[in-house]
């Protein structure tokens, strides 16, 4: 098409960040770029980064919405630290995102949005496009607004539609720059705006205008090509953690042969799971938007008592409200799953930002001795598998189970190998059918192996029983205040949770088994830790990594692994929660590395920290926290 | 109309019950007849001697026997409080949950197991204070459960603090200078919440109470039954004006659908409407006859509003306090609507295909 000579450079990987006003459609642009990137076969990882305000005043720094994607021709695990290219739709976006662009990186700005007022709103004293402050970057000043208006001129559309189409111009330009086809986005737009031909036409024109702009404008002399990644054979789709969690629940319901009841109260970032599940009614899925968090979890207890697969989902502050009911679940010994999509706290905290700081709440946040198993996925795709595990544990051991995802996993995405339904575990429960003791039914007679009590459904003749939150006599379940019985029952319930360790996979040691430094992590930090560890190993250092998906109980071999290492570093996006549990349980001198900025770790910061530990000499400082 | 209302609980359609019958359910035996003792559990009842709860328990057991469904098809769900020990004492399925949340637990259970008879046992503190929010929502959603709210106008289990139904100025341990809280009127609350069934009964008139409970069971939708219950330890005699022989005829108005509102020791008083204002008229002077009286219509929301608002201070009653079914209308239940959405979606899209769902959207294959 182009008559110019445009160089095409092959790259192994690229990180692109687009940022604009929260009304500019940046998340949409990012996710569309992501879909296309997935379809051309790259491995990828994304990081949406948006404000809590629905639509903050235009042009302000607190209204900036950004989306970062890293894509590669090899296996990657994080959305990248610094970006190679940044699209800034206005000065506020430039101001808040420039620090994450590497020196020498490509910087595309919408120069039309750099008016005096825009600059002032963003807090610039002088225009950065003019004052030389961007000299270290490869700056492209693109009149995005004007070019979009031009492209749509003859459609005579209202200004609002024209204004809203400029994100498609930016997307077109990015697709051109990274040599990706437009057809996928075209199909998507045709579907989305099938009923609004005007808007469809506007978006298509803007998209094409952006693409051809790259082709024709002399400024751009290079395009980049990133070849497909070699992933294990299979059929893939791009999936976010919340989508994977929702699909995992549908799959669990199917494999358990039980209708799913999902009770939830809207809260960021868990709401998408409710939205997703609400669409799957033909899978016999019942979603219940409760009046509050307490109603959500207690309705779930009612559904579990009724013999269904019962799940509630929330985020940190919502988990706090659910704690009393989870304690009731511990006493009733009914199976249900509590999803906590962690966000930055405490209290309302930073709702759209990520954190891993609910671990101790999950572990201990109830009155009395009320142990609950805890699982945590490490990547968006793993959310599917770990929620199935949460359901398996709940149904096998008759207990509430806590599942800890977080904002980063919830909204981040990666290519996911789709399993065949028959690859999934069989979760069919066995319901009590008949009396279990001398012609009577005792609700707390236990399975000798799992210590689970029988699940007897109301409506079953002959199995009538009454249970509640009051302490119960061993086996009969009758209310009991006998001191020895209480001591016995408390220990018995704890023992039941401990026994879950017999059914979970052992902790897996990655890296060098003979290293002296072990990095221990959990949840969404996996990608950053793994990347940092691998980079250091490639530089010749020896180190090993263990990533926990099971936090209560811990895998049976964990203690033995920990004993082998002279030094254990536990990076967490909190002030040291797993590290406390580890030190307490195994009496090893584990050290925390803690950052609580509402953002995932970058591989580089971890790499630097671990390098420091590796080169500090042999004297292990032991037992102290490294706060940042 | 009354006939029609009573017939509002047909059994579930086969298509629905097939989908929701637990795998363990066995086909029903030829319907046996039950006595109240069939609903007595093996647990010792541990309420204070003389507590009104005993009479209510017995009335419920009698109503259950009359209803005639086998005990295993009933579930009693309760919160916390004296009344909430109730499930332990009936030989049905039972769930004693946490404070104020029985209504929410019952919602989850009923949605997923609509073929069960789900009863909520709660008190004035449990159901209207800590659980007021959930009470509002179960009523507006019209979940098909029977809510029996034992009102004794006091916190019994925590030993005598004022409750949300205690009268203004009530002196208790936590309100030595008199409570500053204006009391909630439970029936008016229920009507405001959009309840489809509202009734009032009393522990000291068990025959009437059995009838009210049966009507609550027959109603399809959330049935809110307020039951006056005497706490002889912390609030003795709170309702005596309505329940004791010498004052009851003047103070209590027993309403019946289709019948004029007559009361009084010699059935010589009635309620007449003056505009929308209910007034007591004397039938013995010849000035007014029964034909001038307001005729109760359970389906009339305006009458329900008038009846629930007849809530004078019992110390100087101008109007009697109404008992019986104050309001009953048929409205789709929450679980009916949800179940219907599911069935309709299956009809339209076919049953969910997990493989198709997992492989949906844009996919690509790596070989």
């Amino acid at each position: 098409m182009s008559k110019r000579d445009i160089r095409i450079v092959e790259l192994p990987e690229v990180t692109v960040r687009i940022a604009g006003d929260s009304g500019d459609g940046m998340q949409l642009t990012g996710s569309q770029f992501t879909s296309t990137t997935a379809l051309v076969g790259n491995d990828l990882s994304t990081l949406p980064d948006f404000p809590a305000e629905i639509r903050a005043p235009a042009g302000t720094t607190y209204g900036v919405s950004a989306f970062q994607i890293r894509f590669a021709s090899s296996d990657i695990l994080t959305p990248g630290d610094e970006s190679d290219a940044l699209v800034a739709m206005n000065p506020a976006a430039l101001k808040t995102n420039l620090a994450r662009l590497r020196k020498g990186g490509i910087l595309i700005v919408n120069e039309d949005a750099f008016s005096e007022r825009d600059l002032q709103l963003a807090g610039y004293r002088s225009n950065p496009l003019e004052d030389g402050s961007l000299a270290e970057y490869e700056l492209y000043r693109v009149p995005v607004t004007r070019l979009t208006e031009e492209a749509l001129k003859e459609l005579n559309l209202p200004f609002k539609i024209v204004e809203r189409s400029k994100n498609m111009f930016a997307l077109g330009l990015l697709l051109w720059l990274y040599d990706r086809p437009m057809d996928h986005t075209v199909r998507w737009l045709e579907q989305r705006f099938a009923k609004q031909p005007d808007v469809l036409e506007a978006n298509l024109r803007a998209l094409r205008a952006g693409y051809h702009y790259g082709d024709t404008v002399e400024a751009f002399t290079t395009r980049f090509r990133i070849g497909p990644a070699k992933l294990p054979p299979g059929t893939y789709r791009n999936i976010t953690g919340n989508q994977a969690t929702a699909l995992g629940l549908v799959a669990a319901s199917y494999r358990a042969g039980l209708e799913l009841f999902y009770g939830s109260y809207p809260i960021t970032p868990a709401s998408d799971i409710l939205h997703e599940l609400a669409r799957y009614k033909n899978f016999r899925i019942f979603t219940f938007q409760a009046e509050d968090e307490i109603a959500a979890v207690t309705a779930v207890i009612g559904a579990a008592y009724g013999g269904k697969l019962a799940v509630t989902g929330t985020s940190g502050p919502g988990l706090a409200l659910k704690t009393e009911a989870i304690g009731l679940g511990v006493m009733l010994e009914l199976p249900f799953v509590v999803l906590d999509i962690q966000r930055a706290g405490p209290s309302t905290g930073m709702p759209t930002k990520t954190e891993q700081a609910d671990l101790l709440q999950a572990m201990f946040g109830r009155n009395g001795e009320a142990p609950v198993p805890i699982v945590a996925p490490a990547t968006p795709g793993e959310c599917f598998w770990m929620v199935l595990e949460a359901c398996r544990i709940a149904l096998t051991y008759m207990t509430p189970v806590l599942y800890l995802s977080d904002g980063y996993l919830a909204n981040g995405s990666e290519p996911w190998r789709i399993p065949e339904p028959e690859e999934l575990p069989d979760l069919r429960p066995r319901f009590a059918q008949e009396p279990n003791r001398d012609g009577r039914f005792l609700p707390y007679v236990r399975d000798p192996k799992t210590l689970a009590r029988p699940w007897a459904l109301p409506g079953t003749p002959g199995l009538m029983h009454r249970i509640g939150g009051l302490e119960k006599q061993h086996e009969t379940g009758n209310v009991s205040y006998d001191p020895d019985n209480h001591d016995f029952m408390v220990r018995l319930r704890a023992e039941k949770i401990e026994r879950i360790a017999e059914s979970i996979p052992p902790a897996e040691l990655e890296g060098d088994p003979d290293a002296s430094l072990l990095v221990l992590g959990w949840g969404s930090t996996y990608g950053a830790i793994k990347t940092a560890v691998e980079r250091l190993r490639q530089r010749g250092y020896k180190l090993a990594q263990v990533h926990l998906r099971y936090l209560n109980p811990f895998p049976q071999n964990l203690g033995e692994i920990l004993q082998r290492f002279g030094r254990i570093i536990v990076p967490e996006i909190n002030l040291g929660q797993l590290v406390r549990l580890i030190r307490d349980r195994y009496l090893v001198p584990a050290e925390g590395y803690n950052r609580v900025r509402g953002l995932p770790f970058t591989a580089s910061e971890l790499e630097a920290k671990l390098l420091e530990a590796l080169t500090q000499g042999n004297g292990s400082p032991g037992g102290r926290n490294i706060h940042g | 109309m009354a006939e029609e209302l009573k017939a509002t609980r047909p059994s579930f359609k086969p298509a629905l019950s097939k989908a929701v019958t637990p795998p363990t359910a066995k086909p029903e035996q030829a319907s046996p007849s039950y006595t109240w003792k069939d609903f007595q559990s093996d647990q010792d009842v541990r309420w204070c001697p003389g507590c009104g709860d005993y009479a209510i328990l017995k009335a419920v057991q009698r109503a259950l026997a009359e209803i005639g469904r086998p005990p295993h098809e009933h579930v009693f769900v309760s919160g916390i409080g004296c009344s909430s020990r109730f499930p332990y004492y009936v030989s049905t399925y039972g769930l004693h949950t946490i404070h104020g949340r029985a209504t929410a637990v019952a919602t989850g259970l009923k949605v997923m197991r609509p073929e069960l008879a789900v009863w909520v046992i709660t008190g004035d503190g449990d159901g209207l204070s800590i659980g007021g929010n959930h009470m509002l929502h179960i009523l507006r959603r019209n979940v098909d459960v029977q809510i029996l709210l034992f009102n004794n106008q006091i916190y019994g289990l925590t030993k005598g603090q004022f409750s949300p139904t205690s009268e203004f100025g009530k002196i208790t341990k936590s309100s030595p200078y008199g409570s500053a809280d204006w009391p909630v009127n439970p029936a008016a609350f229920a009507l405001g919440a959009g309840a489809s069934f509202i009734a009032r009964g009393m522990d000291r008139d068990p025959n009437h109470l059995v009838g009210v409970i049966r009507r609550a069971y027959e109603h399809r939708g959330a049935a809110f039954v307020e039951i006056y219950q005497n706490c002889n330890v912390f609030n003795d005699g709170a309702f005596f004006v309505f329940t004791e022989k010498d004052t009851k005829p003047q103070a209590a108005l027993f309403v019946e659908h289709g019948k004029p509102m007559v009361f009084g020791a010699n059935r010589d008083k009635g309620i007449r409407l003056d505009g929308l204002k209910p007034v007591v008229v004397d039938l013995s002077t010849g000035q007014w006859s029964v034909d001038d009286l307001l005729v109760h219509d359970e389906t009339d929301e305006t009458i329900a509003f008038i009846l629930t608002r007849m809530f004078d201070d019992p110390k100087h009653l101008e109007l009697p306090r109404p008992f019986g079914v104050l309001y009953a209308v048929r409205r789709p239940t929450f679980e009916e609507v949800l179940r219907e959405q599911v069935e309709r979606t299956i009809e339209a899209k076919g049953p969910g295909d997990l493989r198709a769902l997992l492989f949906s959207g844009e996919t690509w294959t790596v070989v």
Side-chain angles (χ1 to χ4, degrees), chain A residues 373 375 386 388-397 399 401 425 449-450 496-507 550 552-556:
Chain A
V375 300
M386 290 318 290
L388 275 166
E389 264 297 84
C391 294
R392 178 191 69 81
I393 292 170
L395 295 170
T396 309
Y397 291 88
T399 176
V401 175
K449 183 164 175 282
T450 60
K496 181 178 83 162
I497 302 308
E498 278 306 310
R499 286 207 190 173
I500 293 167
E502 292 169 10
S503 78
I504 66 175
Y550 298 85
N552 193 37
F554 289 127
Q556 285 177 318

Side-chain angles (χ1 to χ4, degrees), chain A residues 184 231 233-234 236-237 259 281-282 284 291-292 298-299 306 420 433 458-460 464-469 478, chain B residues 24 43 72 87 90-94 96 101 104 108 113 133-134 141 339 341 343 350 352 355 358 362-364 366:
Chain A
H184 167 68
L231 297 169
Y236 285 78
R237 65 187 279 186
E259 290 175 332
K281 293 211 186 303
N282 58 330
R284 306 203 71 84
E291 57 270 27
D292 62 23
T298 46
E420 291 292 337
Q433 306 282 350
T460 316
M464 283 180 296
H465 62 281
R466 277 119 339 240
I467 55 178
N478 291 337
Chain B
T24 49
Q43 303 291 301
H72 64 259
V90 273
S91 69
T92 62
Y93 282 92
H96 177 218
R101 323 296 173 192
R113 299 290 306 279
N133 183 30
H134 309 304
R141 288 188 185 116
R339 293 256 147 203
Q341 284 181 355
E343 303 304 338
R355 191 178 187 281
L358 295 179
E362 302 273 5
T363 65
W364 70 97
V366 176

